[in-house]
Amino acid sequence: MAISTQRASTSAPSASPWKYHVFLSFRGIDTRRRFTSHLCHRLWFRSITTFRDDNELVRGTAISPNLLRAIEESRIAIVILSPNYASSSWCLDEVSKIVECKDVDTILPIFYDVDPTDVRKQEGTFAEAFNKHKKNFKKDKAKVQRWRAALTKVSNISGWISKDRDESELINEIVEEVCNKVHPTIFTLPGSSTKLVGIDFRLKKIELLLDREAKDVRFIGIWGDGGTGKTTIASLVYDRISHHFDVSYFLPNVREVYAAHGLIHLQKRLLSPILKERVNEVWDVHSGATMTKYCLCNKKVLLVIDDADQLNQLEVLAGKKDWFGLGSRIIITTRQEHLLIEHDIEERYELLGLQDSEDFLPHKRDEPEGDLNLQLPKKLPNSIEDRKDESQRKYDEPTKVQSKNDEQVGKVPNAVEDCVNMDSPPKVKVCVGCKQNIKDRKYYRNGKGTHQWHPHCFRCHACNLPITEFLMHENHPYHRLCHRERHLRCGVCENLIPLNSDGTVVYSLHPISLQRSCPKHEDDGTPRCCGCARIKPRNTIYYLLNDGRHQCLECRDTAITEADQCEALFLEIQKVFDLKFQEKKFLIHFVEKTEFLKVSEHILLSGKPPEVTAIKILSGLPRLRTGLTMVRTTMGAWLEVKCYRIGNMSPQVKIDMSQVLAHMWLEFVMNSGSAFEKKLGNFYQRRIESDSGEGFRLGRKAVLKHGLRQTLDHIAMTGSLPLVD
């Protein structure tokens, strides 16, 4: 009896030339009850249709025509080569047929308790088996030779060796490889290699919203008018990714079923395939919701609720995120966006329709066939500017902290019409996209007329797909979602930065790394680097110091972590500025954060006139920041000792001169460091300049005019900065 296994699930039907995903060739006495059985179960669990022949007890000498046909109708063949595999003529016929009709990349060999060399050279148990075959098939030596050749070819294909491997781990690895091969990518039609330009773009947007690598539970809403392709898109997504989930279910026609049968019927339809049995225990909506949560709360779920039109449908079929296990994705299609908003679904995608036939076919160019060899650049070097009156245009400002992301900035049809050159065209106009002369009177050009494009060469700067409605960013056009994905995705949690109710996007921008982040991360406890203040991105390693502070790897590379490093840096600073202010030596306390905060004063003084006994320096900071702290502290110590007799000296002078020397220190050292140190130094310099007042600027002018030594001597005598013209 030939058995095929397929996991029950609901999805959109898809045409395919393959009846089975996998044909399994194995020797029953070696692997049927253990390895093969477990492998089949895992394939079934991942929605892989598998043909496995279990009729070995009544096998004859000739292979069944059904098996030959099953091999031809299977997309992939898994060959489990075990010690007794070659003793079965039936197995050898199977592998010969597999080699005959399958490409190398669709044959997956597993060397189960055998050495690939024994299979390749027919040694060991394989030699014993072929000695018997030579006797039994004296009149058909060609068949034996085909068997040998087939085994040799299969053994030369990269596969898996079971020796010293955990069997469960091995099976999971095989299943993942099979899933990657048999499930088409999200961007192709079932059973077709045709790439869909219009659908391709929409599916990319959905995939970005799904973010399957994230471990959270995520609800995604697809909304738009009837007939715009919401169900088609959801079905394609479901077909392509359902094998990645523990439980997957597509619940179609919710609006119609609800109107005809009510909520309880919908709950039963959802639960029956999950429990793999008819559900009769749902007596009311509450019991159905409770059972749904109970069944799914610890599973990674893909659930598509198609064509919802009532809020209560969402509440009882997919109530809250805690109904589902980590990694779950819930996709809801509807005509009404307000349902998604009321159900707190943040990731929403408006589907505008698939009206034109070009949405379903590869993009065609208007040039003669000979021009098709020209390669369009992936990114346009420049972009058009809509020549409408400024008062009628709304441009995105992504460099600002508040960004009007979802405004409709321009439409290509209008831009085309406005860019028609009604005057006599120049002799040569070259499209910056395809580098060909523009001969048509309709073309795009930028505001200054320095760049022109064919209409079909005007494409999104991010995805390189044709563009109609666009946003402009740094003189490049973007689809709205492409722009948000590229420029408005949080660098910490990697989610899209949420929109405010007025359509603006507010985010925090790190001044060194230019990392954008959701405002919530400012106070949600996410670790922050103690050196550059960058919030820790997800999946990024930060070094944890003994006192609980965190440090990014860039800052860690130049961090001062040892006392001798600190002393060497202090001597370097003394040499640069010659700030010797007492004969008696003092200590440098290189301390952690808890010790550093015990005393508010970091210059420890004693006696009259004052003497510096110690300077406290916080450990674990980057070299530049440690040097800044040391320069400021040393300058403060110098002023404390030299100016103690000046009773009316303003404390602001100490602050200003400390900032002046810190700025000078950065200029002296940062250009000799790494690229990151240069950025860090520039950041510290800008911060000093912005945080300081007029006294800092007067101090810099005084040092530039009189020199550092004369400026400090004047302060030591008068308690004030020298005059500057």
Side-chain angles (χ1 to χ4, degrees):
M1 179 177 64
I3 297 176
S4 67
T5 62
Q6 182 175 13
R7 185 181 176 194
S9 64
T10 299
S11 65
S14 58
S16 171
W18 311 109
K19 185 176 181 179
Y20 308 102
H21 290 130
V22 172
F23 180 91
L24 205 55
S25 177
F26 64 98
R27 186 70 163 105
I29 60 174
D30 289 337
T31 65
R32 173 186 284 109
R33 297 188 181 279
R34 294 174 52 216
F35 184 82
T36 300
S37 178
H38 296 157
L39 176 59
C40 283
H41 178 74
R42 287 300 300 167
L43 290 169
W44 169 84
F45 191 77
R46 297 292 293 274
S47 302
I48 303 295
T49 309
T50 305
F51 185 97
R52 178 183 70 172
D53 186 76
D54 277 338
N55 199 18
E56 187 163 317
L57 292 177
V58 294
R59 285 181 172 183
T61 56
I63 189 170
S64 164
N66 290 336
L67 284 180
L68 294 175
R69 189 162 52 251
I71 293 171
E72 295 172 349
E73 294 174 343
S74 299
R75 183 168 184 177
I76 285 177
I78 296 178
V79 183
I80 304 175
L81 297 158
S82 57
N84 292 295
Y85 186 89
S87 66
S88 167
S89 60
W90 199 313
C91 287
L92 294 173
D93 281 337
E94 286 178 354
V95 75
S96 297
K97 180 65 176 179
I98 288 169
V99 168
E100 176 189 328
C101 67
K102 298 294 178 191
D103 294 330
V104 170
D105 61 348
T106 61
I107 303 174
L108 303 179
I110 301 167
F111 301 95
Y112 191 85
D113 287 343
V114 296
D115 192 302
T117 304
D118 289 347
V119 180
R120 186 178 304 112
K121 298 181 178 180
Q122 288 90 57
E123 296 177 345
T125 57
F126 285 76
E128 297 172 7
F130 272 94
N131 287 334
K132 294 179 181 179
H133 292 320
K134 282 194 292 186
K135 296 177 182 179
N136 296 334
F137 295 92
K138 289 181 179 180
K139 296 182 179 180
D140 197 354
K141 293 182 180 180
K143 173 179 279 193
V144 176
Q145 192 57 37
R146 282 198 306 272
W147 290 346
R148 288 185 180 276
L151 286 175
T152 300
K153 183 172 183 178
V154 170
S155 65
N156 284 319
I157 300 172
S158 177
W160 292 268
I161 301 174
S162 69
K163 185 178 181 181
D164 299 328
R165 290 288 304 272
D166 178 83
E167 196 164 288
S168 177
E169 178 185 305
L170 175 62
I171 288 173
N172 287 335
E173 197 174 300
I174 295 166
V175 171
E176 284 301 321
E177 178 67 19
V178 172
C179 287
N180 292 334
K181 285 182 175 291
V182 303
H183 287 284
T185 64
I186 199 169
F187 309 121
T188 56
L189 275 174
S192 170
S193 60
T194 303
K195 192 171 179 66
L196 306 175
V197 174
I199 285 184
D200 179 52
F201 168 70
R202 290 158 173 82
L203 291 176
K204 280 185 179 180
K205 299 299 108 180
I206 299 297
E207 188 177 38
L208 291 172
L209 295 178
L210 286 168
D211 191 9
R212 286 192 293 105
E213 298 302 319
K215 303 303 181 184
D216 59 350
V217 177
R218 189 164 299 192
F219 283 64
I220 296 92
I222 304 173
W223 68 281
D225 295 335
T228 54
K230 299 183 296 297
T231 300
T232 300
I233 294 292
S235 298
L236 287 170
V237 172
Y238 179 89
D239 276 347
R240 302 319 185 268
I241 69 173
S242 59
H243 62 284
H244 292 290
F245 296 83
D246 298 333
V247 174
S248 56
Y249 190 68
F250 190 105
L251 187 62
N253 305 320
V254 168
R255 176 169 55 91
E256 295 179 7
V257 175
Y258 172 76
H261 305 287
L263 283 174
I264 295 177
H265 182 80
L266 283 169
Q267 290 176 312
K268 290 181 177 180
R269 284 186 59 181
L270 173 60
L271 288 168
S272 292
I274 293 172
L275 299 176
K276 298 179 177 60
E277 61 183 30
R278 187 177 182 85
V279 176
N280 297 315
E281 291 79 13
V282 177
W283 302 283
D284 54 36
V285 171
H286 177 73
S287 64
T290 301
M291 185 178 294
T292 301
K293 179 179 179 181
Y294 176 80
C295 293
L296 301 179
C297 64
N298 61 348
K299 293 181 175 63
K300 184 180 177 182
V301 178
L302 173 64
L303 173 61
V304 178
I305 299 175
D306 177 51
D307 197 19
D309 70 338
Q310 301 289 334
L311 182 60
N312 60 352
Q313 297 165 358
L314 305 185
E315 291 173 340
V316 303
L317 296 173
K320 297 180 180 180
K321 291 183 178 181
D322 62 1
W323 284 29
F324 308 95
L326 293 179
S328 294
R329 295 294 181 265
I330 315 303
I331 302 173
I332 297 163
T333 70
T334 181
R335 301 182 184 187
Q336 305 168 32
E337 185 187 18
H338 72 87
L339 292 182
L340 306 176
I341 297 172
E342 291 175 21
H343 201 56
D344 296 326
I345 298 175
E346 296 179 354
E347 306 295 349
R348 303 186 296 273
Y349 177 55
E350 180 184 5
L351 202 60
L352 298 177
L354 304 171
Q355 297 94 339
D356 300 327
S357 61
E358 69 176 1
D359 285 332
F360 296 91
L361 295 173
H363 184 70
K364 295 182 179 179
R365 298 178 58 190
D366 296 327
E367 287 87 0
E369 186 175 353
D371 289 338
L372 294 180
N373 291 327
L374 295 171
Q375 296 294 319
L376 291 177
K378 292 184 177 180
K379 296 181 180 179
L380 295 177
N382 289 289
S383 59
I384 72 163
E385 295 182 4
D386 188 353
R387 300 180 67 202
K388 294 181 180 179
D389 185 79
E390 270 311 309
S391 63
Q392 298 177 2
R393 295 192 299 171
K394 298 179 181 179
Y395 277 89
D396 184 44
E397 297 290 346
T399 56
K400 295 182 179 179
V401 174
Q402 181 166 305
S403 173
K404 194 77 174 179
N405 179 54
D406 280 349
E407 285 186 319
Q408 179 176 313
V409 178
K411 292 185 176 180
V412 164
N414 292 335
V416 176
E417 183 177 341
D418 290 337
C419 287
V420 173
N421 188 357
M422 301 307 295
D423 302 323
S424 177
K427 291 183 179 180
V428 178
K429 296 192 299 293
V430 179
C431 171
V432 297
C434 66
K435 310 302 182 185
Q436 294 295 297
N437 291 346
I438 299 175
K439 300 177 181 179
D440 194 11
R441 295 183 66 85
K442 288 190 177 182
Y443 60 93
Y444 301 164
R445 66 183 182 188
N446 64 353
K448 296 181 181 179
T450 56
H451 297 84
Q452 301 87 24
W453 293 262
H454 290 112
H456 54 263
C457 292
F458 182 61
R459 292 171 172 251
C460 174
H461 191 62
C463 68
N464 197 37
L465 293 175
I467 190 168
T468 53
E469 298 182 5
F470 60 91
L471 293 172
M472 302 297 294
H473 177 62
E474 297 180 353
N475 289 327
H476 289 296
Y478 289 87
H479 293 109
R480 286 180 293 176
L481 283 174
C482 285
H483 175 267
R484 189 178 176 205
E485 158 61 23
R486 173 169 288 195
H487 298 288
L488 296 174
R489 182 172 283 272
C490 176
V492 176
C493 63
E494 300 181 7
N495 296 325
L496 292 176
I497 299 174
L499 297 174
N500 290 337
S501 57
D502 61 354
T504 59
V505 177
V506 177
Y507 54 84
S508 301
L509 184 66
H510 187 257
I512 301 173
S513 65
L514 302 182
Q515 169 186 280
R516 290 180 173 88
S517 60
C518 304
K520 66 178 182 180
H521 298 308
E522 294 294 326
D523 53 11
D524 67 355
T526 306
R528 187 188 293 267
C529 175
C530 63
C532 65
R534 182 185 179 190
I535 302 175
K536 180 182 179 298
R538 187 182 68 177
N539 299 326
T540 299
I541 297 174
Y542 268 30
Y543 190 86
L544 181 63
L545 302 179
N546 293 333
D547 55 14
R549 289 177 294 153
H550 292 80
Q551 196 171 60
C552 70
L553 297 184
E554 289 88 348
C555 288
R556 183 66 182 174
D557 285 342
T558 65
I560 303 295
T561 58
E562 302 294 337
D564 56 348
Q565 292 177 304
C566 188
E567 291 176 4
L569 182 60
F570 179 76
L571 292 175
E572 181 183 340
I573 292 170
Q574 288 280 60
K575 184 177 179 181
V576 170
F577 294 114
D578 189 21
L579 288 178
K580 186 176 181 180
F581 49 83
Q582 65 184 38
E583 293 299 325
K584 186 177 180 181
K585 293 185 177 181
F586 55 86
L587 299 175
I588 297 177
H589 289 328
F590 193 55
V591 298
E592 295 181 351
K593 182 178 180 181
T594 50
E595 181 66 25
F596 186 77
L597 296 177
K598 281 183 180 179
V599 182
S600 59
E601 293 293 335
H602 305 134
I603 307 171
L604 305 182
L605 301 170
S606 66
K608 284 287 185 179
E611 284 188 339
V612 176
T613 59
I615 293 178
K616 286 204 305 181
I617 302 295
L618 186 61
S619 65
L621 295 177
R623 175 173 173 270
L624 286 185
R625 187 164 176 181
T626 303
L628 281 182
T629 304
M630 209 171 273
V631 168
R632 287 171 176 148
T633 306
T634 304
M635 185 73 258
W638 189 96
L639 292 171
E640 287 285 350
V641 173
K642 296 293 185 180
C643 304
Y644 79 96
R645 290 189 179 90
I646 303 174
N648 62 346
M649 181 177 178
S650 170
Q652 189 61 42
V653 174
K654 297 180 182 179
I655 297 174
D656 291 336
M657 284 307 300
S658 295
Q659 294 287 65
V660 169
L661 253 67
H663 199 277
M664 292 173 63
W665 160 253
L666 289 172
E667 288 180 336
F668 183 77
V669 299
M670 71 179 188
N671 288 328
S672 61
S674 64
F676 175 76
E677 277 196 301
K678 292 176 183 177
K679 290 182 180 179
L680 193 63
N682 285 326
F683 165 67
Y684 289 147
Q685 280 191 321
R686 290 195 302 271
R687 175 176 280 184
I688 290 172
E689 292 164 1
S690 62
D691 291 349
S692 302
E694 186 62 22
F696 164 75
R697 281 173 276 281
L698 290 175
R700 275 180 57 81
K701 288 182 179 180
V703 171
L704 290 173
K705 182 177 181 179
H706 304 294
L708 177 61
R709 175 52 51 196
Q710 280 189 290
T711 301
L712 292 179
D713 289 344
H714 185 276
I715 294 172
M717 290 186 294
T718 66
S720 61
L721 292 167
L723 295 176
V724 180
D725 294 334

